[in-house]
Amino acid sequence: MSKHTAIIRWKNNGPDFLKRQYSREHTLHFDGGAVVPGSPSPQIVPAPWSNAASVDPEEAFVAAVSSCHMLWFLHVACDAGFIAESYDDEAEGVMTKNERGALWISRITLQPHIVWGGAKQPAAAEVEHLHHLAHQQCFIANSIKTEINVQPRD
């Protein structure tokens, strides 16, 4: 079993909290020392109470799914004897309302583009199988109910 932590820090800098006039900007501190500026999406909380340049929770969620899938994909590709030279993913999450009317990220589409090296090149069916194996092993995918689709880009 492993433990993973993050520290989220926010401070009220007004002008009027009870009128919802306060910045939602905050920082996300990770155990390795990385500090990431956080904010709600400006699509949800308009400026000046949000900052589009910061990472919002929905982006972080989509990025976590994409990152986890990529790490497992590289692992299973290596196990299969394929050499991945690069991996780019243009992941996208879609928010919809659930049966209770609450917004949630109901679908994430991963759109990886992999450049292969070496003499052994995977066929399309092998790449699809590698994505399937990666999805099965991804800790994040195994922790959520959001539908995840993988649509490789050539």
Side-chain angles (χ1 to χ4, degrees):
M1 184 172 99
S2 61
K3 181 179 171 182
H4 305 272
T5 60
I7 297 170
I8 310 305
R9 291 200 169 114
W10 170 87
K11 184 159 180 57
N12 184 5
N13 59 3
D16 193 335
F17 186 84
L18 294 178
K19 289 185 180 177
R20 302 190 196 292
Q21 295 176 347
Y22 60 93
S23 174
R24 276 72 161 181
E25 291 185 65
H26 54 281
T27 53
L28 298 84
H29 301 254
F30 297 96
D31 58 5
V35 178
V36 177
S39 173
S41 167
Q43 297 173 23
I44 297 171
V45 177
W49 316 121
S50 64
N51 183 342
S54 298
V55 176
D56 66 61
E58 297 80 15
E59 290 171 323
F61 180 63
V62 171
V65 170
S66 175
S67 177
C68 187
H69 182 88
M70 179 202 68
L71 292 168
W72 276 108
F73 182 88
L74 297 175
H75 178 85
V76 297
C78 182
D79 284 351
F82 298 113
I83 299 171
E85 294 292 340
S86 66
Y87 183 110
D88 286 320
D89 186 7
E90 295 180 13
E92 179 180 275
V94 175
M95 287 184 69
T96 60
K97 289 188 177 182
N98 66 14
E99 61 281 351
R100 295 182 329 274
L103 286 171
W104 71 301
I105 297 177
S106 59
R107 184 177 65 248
I108 295 174
T109 301
L110 306 180
Q111 301 177 82
H113 173 73
I114 300 118
V115 174
W116 299 100
K120 185 179 177 184
Q121 296 285 307
E126 290 171 304
V127 173
E128 184 178 330
H129 180 67
L130 294 172
H131 281 298
H132 176 75
L133 293 174
H135 181 69
Q136 285 185 317
Q137 296 181 60
C138 172
F139 306 137
I140 306 299
N142 285 322
S143 301
I144 62 174
K145 65 180 184 175
T146 300
E147 175 186 339
I148 302 170
N149 299 308
V150 180
Q151 298 175 343
R153 297 176 290 134
D154 292 328

